[in-house]
Amino acid sequence: MGETVALSEKSPSEIDAFLQTQRTAYDRLVTQGLKLDLTRGKPSAAQLDLSNELLRLPQGFTAADGTDVRNYGGLKGLPELREIFAELLWVDPEQLVAGGNSSLTMMKDCLVDLLLHGGVDSERPWSQEEKVTFVCPVPGYDRHFTLLESLGIEMVTVPMYDDGPDADAVAALVKDDPSIKGMWIVPTYANPAGSVCSQDVAARLASMPTAAPDFKIFWDNAYAFHHLTEDEAKSADIVKLASAAGHPHRPLEFASTSKITFAGAGVAFLAASPENIAWYVKHLGTGSIGPDKVNHLRHVQLFKTADGVREHMRRHRDIIAPKFAEVQRVLTERLGTQEVATWNDPAGGYFVNLDVVEGTASRVVELAKAAGVALTPAGASYPYGKDPKDTNIRLAPTMPPVEEVTAAMEAVATCVLLAAAEKYATV
Amino acid sequence: MGETVALSEKSPSEIDAFLQTQRTAYDRLVTQGLKLDLTRGKPSAAQLDLSNELLRLPQGFTAADGTDVRNYGGLKGLPELREIFAELLWVDPEQLVAGGNSSLTMMKDCLVDLLLHGGVDSERPWSQEEKVTFVCPVPGYDRHFTLLESLGIEMVTVPMYDDGPDADAVAALVKDDPSIKGMWIVPTYANPAGSVCSQDVAARLASMPTAAPDFKIFWDNAYAFHHLTEDEAKSADIVKLASAAGHPHRPLEFASTSKITFAGAGVAFLAASPENIAWYVKHLGTGSIGPDKVNHLRHVQLFKTADGVREHMRRHRDIIAPKFAEVQRVLTERLGTQEVATWNDPAGGYFVNLDVVEGTASRVVELAKAAGVALTPAGASYPYGKDPKDTNIRLAPTMPPVEEVTAAMEAVATCVLLAAAEKYATV
């Protein structure tokens, strides 16, 4: 077809013809009976295979300090595992807890503890405040928002830029309103925007005056080591930045091996000030006699060192970078000249952020579903599932084999074009 | 020395002589420089060895339904593991969740969910009630009490008898007071009393009228399969009893493999009504993408069937029954005729409950500590750590080798006798 004129600049009859073309293409797509899924950021079987040695580990069951890892105890996690990840996250091992299989659980635990008990710098438990609000950069991670909603915490949004959240907007919100108690951020290769929070933005978030004395940055560094190129982004060191700015208890940094080893059987980490760690462990201890240290030892023996983790991540990159490249190729070839969509080309993480013609994201997802391609629900990257402009679609290409990524993206492109044509045809 | 007269019936001069004898014995004990520990109910290395096959499992990583257990998902836990434990706990697999490595964590999660959201039969979240109180049979499990205390839940005690909690006392408390929202019970081989809740007592707890419409029995069946004799006690089936009595949502039953496989790396379970399970999973899902299914599959492959679990428990019995027998032997030989202590001879579980002369339990623990024998703090089996009569001491003989159990129990007997002599000498 070879259009080179943007869809919005075509004449009504050209748009009508275009709409017919897209309908035909879509009808053909539906007859293919696809069954593809780009919904969730899950590692593929080939990625999981990289860690299959875990299935035969650990060798022995004795920790470096003589602890029998099979038995109870050790709330903070296995010291030798904490050493490896403390090096990767630039904290002292004493500032790091290694826990169970989910950093999301640690985030929830922290929120529940803040609600029921208050933090180290709180005047009272957050549940005794009239209102608690979090700043949510958008687009963001749907589970962050669902978690806040389930706990009755309100949400206010700020834009996510290429260098992180809009620091001016955040600073203006938190300056005078003591009910604003915290914020989310996925600082490195953000979900889904792919952006990396710059040193400068992080420093501003770490140092900005907040009306709440116990303001918390939930720094979900889920993709800290998940590079897609050889130009490996360095996460800002929020723990040290906040400490240097006189707000040592502001950040709670989360990380995990969920997308390093086994998504369901990895190890989660919390890094924070020593006081925050003591606070967390104290409350953790009322409901736990210690994490799964056998799994901790497995991970120590798999990685051996921090460099072992870095090397392991390069093997992930080799598997998934071609899938991300395929997303770029199809989007560029099919939508590059139409001006019906913009998207990012992330240097890491698990997602591609696709923005379609305003008001058509839900329609694209609906069309794709009818054609057998599951996409994350439109709006999922916004609090309460409501994307005010209905433009945002999160694409997660890691899980399917590359040929399925191709097929799914071809389908997505067809749906984006049809939805855009429908929209312009009715204007 | 062969005393046959009870200490309390001796003359003052006989008691003085007895006190001198015990002081000498205690001084000799201290010079031995022991370093022994009877504090916590931890399995011994030999018991943990029974499950060492777990270190080489699983074979493969695919569940019966084709699920890749390495990846995310499956909030309720691996179906084939739930089938095995559903059979053991007499519930439908749909009524059972398999979780992480700690049933204590599940208990805390349930309490937090009740506080923040209310249960399926609650009028409002418990945190919105003026006061929430739990009935606590005593002696009981210290971590249950600490957990309630940390959540601001008040405690009222009832006696624990040989057939379970004093059901009359419980019924009288819960009948008129809507602030009494729940109760703890370790129904089988109770911690530390060793008693087994009878079918009759369980039926009364399941059916008693409660002022609170959402009264919950936290049925912590931690020792359901942990028999010390061939006469294996059957736990009362609280889930069915409550359902039959028209209170299906009253019980929340907890169990785990912590004292079956690896204490720190086992699997915890929650059994309850389908509505309670749906409620639990809904709240669980805000902070989890699924449990460690690799560990679930390990456990399936280790046990294979419910009978596999039962056989496995007999191997535990062979290891620990001689330790419990040794506790009985030393206590009987050293204290049997003195009337300075009573104790139980449990048919299962992890503890021996020792009651010493009123007002001397703290002194016994103190003397033992000075002689190098760590005992659980006196009062630990009571809410707020306060045993009103200061008589109760919990002995945990599973962890040390049998020769250390002997030495520790000889020391305990010496301390019990000295503390009693001190007490009578000052009367």
Side-chain angles (χ1 to χ4, degrees):
Chain A
M1 283 159 278
E3 284 93 349
T4 51
V5 178
L7 188 55
S8 58
E9 287 166 23
K10 289 184 197 288
S11 69
S13 67
E14 282 174 323
I15 288 179
D16 268 348
F18 183 84
L19 176 61
Q20 289 316 315
T21 306
Q22 298 314 322
R23 282 202 175 129
T24 306
Y26 181 73
D27 291 344
R28 205 161 48 224
L29 175 68
V30 171
T31 62
Q32 289 178 35
L34 297 177
K35 202 165 173 241
L36 303 170
D37 192 326
L38 291 178
T39 56
R40 296 238 63 105
K42 291 168 87 166
S44 64
Q47 288 177 271
L48 297 168
D49 286 346
L50 295 175
S51 303
N52 274 352
E53 202 186 333
L54 286 178
L55 301 170
R56 301 279 81 77
L57 293 175
Q59 295 288 339
F61 43 76
T62 310
D65 66 1
T67 300
D68 186 333
V69 296
R70 301 170 302 176
N71 221 322
Y72 287 118
L75 267 178
K76 288 181 81 169
L78 200 69
E80 46 266 56
L81 182 65
R82 286 163 48 219
E83 267 168 40
I84 291 174
F85 279 84
E87 181 180 335
L88 289 164
L89 295 165
W90 309 317
V91 293
D92 188 276
E94 285 308 302
Q95 287 178 263
L96 190 74
V97 173
N101 76 329
S102 167
S103 56
L104 188 65
T105 301
M106 281 180 147
M107 295 174 214
K108 181 176 177 180
D109 286 347
C110 285
L111 284 170
V112 166
D113 291 340
L114 287 162
L115 282 167
L116 294 180
H117 310 291
V120 295
D121 40 14
S122 296
E123 289 162 330
R124 61 191 76 87
W126 286 8
S127 59
Q128 289 173 24
E129 305 284 352
E130 211 169 299
K131 194 170 84 161
V132 176
T133 305
F134 261 52
V135 179
C136 300
V138 289
Y141 178 31
D142 55 350
R143 288 185 190 270
H144 286 169
F145 305 146
T146 311
L147 176 53
L148 292 184
E149 194 180 355
S150 76
L151 296 172
I153 296 174
E154 301 196 9
M155 291 173 259
V156 56
T157 63
V158 297
M160 192 73 174
Y161 295 144
D162 281 349
D163 60 351
D166 181 336
D168 287 334
V170 177
L173 282 166
V174 301
K175 183 164 55 78
D176 300 314
D177 184 348
S179 84
I180 300 190
K181 288 288 198 184
M183 70 177 293
W184 287 112
I185 170 170
V186 180
T188 315
Y189 307 130
N191 174 356
S195 51
V196 177
C197 183
S198 70
Q199 192 72 13
D200 178 54
V201 168
R204 292 189 61 195
L205 299 174
S207 62
M208 66 190 175
T210 63
D214 53 351
F215 184 86
K216 294 279 169 280
I217 300 176
F218 277 66
W219 187 267
D220 182 1
N221 214 345
Y223 309 102
F225 321 113
H226 302 56
H227 314 288
L228 284 166
T229 75
E230 285 178 24
D231 182 18
E232 302 187 348
K234 275 203 166 171
S235 299
D237 183 353
I238 193 68
V239 174
K240 278 202 201 66
L241 286 171
S243 184
H247 304 296
H249 313 316
R250 184 173 288 183
L252 296 167
E253 176 171 12
F254 304 92
S256 86
T257 72
S258 293
K259 287 171 182 118
I260 298 177
T261 58
F262 292 161
V267 180
F269 300 93
L270 168 65
S273 70
E275 292 83 351
N276 273 340
I277 294 294
W279 167 87
Y280 176 80
V281 169
K282 181 180 112 182
H283 294 302
L284 181 70
T286 65
S288 170
I289 317 181
D292 183 343
K293 299 184 300 299
V294 176
N295 206 32
H296 290 186
L297 187 58
R298 261 182 214 112
H299 280 74
V300 169
Q301 294 182 358
L302 178 72
F303 294 131
K304 296 178 183 71
T305 63
D307 268 336
V309 177
R310 295 188 191 101
E311 273 168 41
H312 191 87
M313 293 314 296
R314 285 180 203 118
R315 292 191 280 271
H316 278 283
R317 186 190 68 197
D318 293 344
I319 294 170
I320 64 176
K323 298 182 183 183
F324 280 85
E326 190 61 7
V327 172
Q328 297 298 319
R329 184 190 66 77
V330 176
L331 287 173
T332 305
E333 287 184 16
R334 296 285 308 279
L335 308 178
T337 58
Q338 306 286 358
E339 294 191 9
V340 293
T342 58
W343 58 90
N344 67 330
D345 184 5
Y350 260 58
F351 303 100
V352 175
N353 193 50
L354 175 67
D355 282 304
V356 296
V357 171
E358 210 171 307
T360 68
S362 310
R363 177 65 178 152
V364 170
V365 173
E366 180 186 44
L367 286 167
K369 189 180 177 187
V373 178
L375 297 178
T376 306
S381 298
Y382 289 76
Y384 315 106
K386 289 192 183 127
D387 172 4
K389 295 185 178 170
D390 192 23
T391 64
N392 191 256
I393 295 172
R394 186 183 83 165
L395 303 172
T398 56
M399 176 91 171
V402 69
E403 60 276 14
E404 291 190 12
V405 172
T406 307
M409 288 310 303
E410 290 284 357
V412 168
T414 299
C415 296
V416 169
L417 288 166
L418 174 54
E422 289 173 347
K423 172 91 188 281
Y424 286 116
T426 62
V427 170
Chain B
M1 282 160 278
E3 285 92 348
T4 51
V5 179
L7 188 55
S8 58
E9 287 165 24
K10 288 184 199 288
S11 70
S13 66
E14 282 175 321
I15 288 179
D16 268 348
F18 184 84
L19 176 59
Q20 288 316 316
T21 306
Q22 298 313 322
R23 281 201 174 130
T24 306
Y26 180 74
D27 291 344
R28 208 162 45 226
L29 176 68
V30 171
T31 61
Q32 290 179 33
L34 297 176
K35 204 167 171 238
L36 303 170
D37 192 328
L38 292 177
T39 55
R40 295 238 64 103
K42 291 166 85 166
S44 63
Q47 288 176 270
L48 297 167
D49 286 346
L50 296 175
S51 303
N52 274 353
E53 202 186 333
L54 287 177
L55 301 170
R56 300 280 82 76
L57 292 174
Q59 295 288 340
F61 42 76
T62 310
D65 65 1
T67 300
D68 186 333
V69 297
R70 302 170 300 177
N71 221 323
Y72 287 118
L75 267 179
K76 289 182 81 169
L78 200 69
E80 46 266 56
L81 182 64
R82 286 163 49 218
E83 267 169 40
I84 292 174
F85 278 84
E87 182 181 334
L88 289 164
L89 295 166
W90 309 318
V91 293
D92 189 276
E94 285 307 303
Q95 288 178 261
L96 190 74
V97 173
N101 75 329
S102 167
S103 55
L104 188 65
T105 300
M106 281 180 147
M107 296 174 214
K108 181 176 177 179
D109 286 347
C110 284
L111 284 169
V112 166
D113 290 341
L114 286 162
L115 283 167
L116 294 180
H117 310 292
V120 294
D121 39 15
S122 296
E123 288 162 331
R124 61 192 77 86
W126 287 8
S127 59
Q128 288 174 24
E129 305 284 352
E130 212 170 296
K131 194 171 83 162
V132 175
T133 305
F134 261 53
V135 179
C136 300
V138 288
Y141 178 32
D142 56 349
R143 288 185 191 269
H144 286 169
F145 305 146
T146 312
L147 176 53
L148 291 184
E149 194 179 353
S150 76
L151 296 172
I153 295 175
E154 300 197 9
M155 291 174 259
V156 55
T157 63
V158 296
M160 192 74 175
Y161 294 145
D162 281 350
D163 60 351
D166 181 336
D168 288 333
V170 177
L173 283 166
V174 302
K175 185 164 54 78
D176 301 314
D177 184 348
S179 85
I180 300 190
K181 287 288 198 185
M183 70 177 294
W184 287 112
I185 170 169
V186 181
T188 314
Y189 308 131
N191 173 357
S195 51
V196 177
C197 183
S198 69
Q199 192 72 13
D200 178 55
V201 168
R204 292 188 62 195
L205 299 173
S207 63
M208 66 190 176
T210 62
D214 53 351
F215 184 86
K216 293 280 169 281
I217 300 177
F218 276 66
W219 187 267
D220 182 1
N221 215 346
Y223 308 103
F225 322 113
H226 301 57
H227 315 288
L228 283 167
T229 74
E230 286 179 23
D231 183 18
E232 301 186 348
K234 276 203 165 171
S235 300
D237 183 352
I238 192 68
V239 174
K240 279 204 201 63
L241 286 171
S243 184
H247 304 296
H249 313 316
R250 185 174 287 184
L252 296 168
E253 177 171 11
F254 304 91
S256 86
T257 72
S258 294
K259 287 170 182 118
I260 298 177
T261 58
F262 292 161
V267 180
F269 299 93
L270 168 65
S273 71
E275 291 83 351
N276 273 338
I277 293 295
W279 167 87
Y280 175 79
V281 169
K282 180 180 113 183
H283 295 302
L284 180 71
T286 64
S288 171
I289 317 181
D292 182 343
K293 298 183 301 299
V294 176
N295 206 32
H296 289 186
L297 186 58
R298 263 183 213 111
H299 280 74
V300 169
Q301 294 183 356
L302 178 71
F303 294 131
K304 297 179 182 72
T305 63
D307 268 335
V309 177
R310 295 188 192 102
E311 274 168 42
H312 191 86
M313 293 315 294
R314 286 180 203 118
R315 292 191 281 271
H316 278 283
R317 187 190 67 197
D318 294 343
I319 294 170
I320 65 175
K323 298 181 183 183
F324 280 84
E326 191 60 7
V327 172
Q328 296 299 319
R329 185 190 66 77
V330 176
L331 288 174
T332 304
E333 287 184 16
R334 296 286 308 280
L335 307 179
T337 59
Q338 306 285 358
E339 294 191 7
V340 293
T342 57
W343 58 91
N344 68 329
D345 185 6
Y350 260 58
F351 303 101
V352 175
N353 193 51
L354 174 67
D355 282 303
V356 296
V357 171
E358 209 171 306
T360 69
S362 311
R363 178 64 178 153
V364 171
V365 173
E366 182 186 42
L367 287 168
K369 188 179 177 187
V373 178
L375 298 178
T376 307
S381 298
Y382 289 76
Y384 314 108
K386 287 192 183 126
D387 172 5
K389 295 185 175 167
D390 192 23
T391 63
N392 191 255
I393 294 171
R394 186 182 83 164
L395 303 171
T398 55
M399 176 93 171
V402 68
E403 58 276 13
E404 290 189 14
V405 173
T406 308
M409 286 311 303
E410 290 285 356
V412 168
T414 298
C415 297
V416 170
L417 287 166
L418 175 54
E422 289 173 347
K423 171 90 188 282
Y424 286 117
T426 62
V427 171

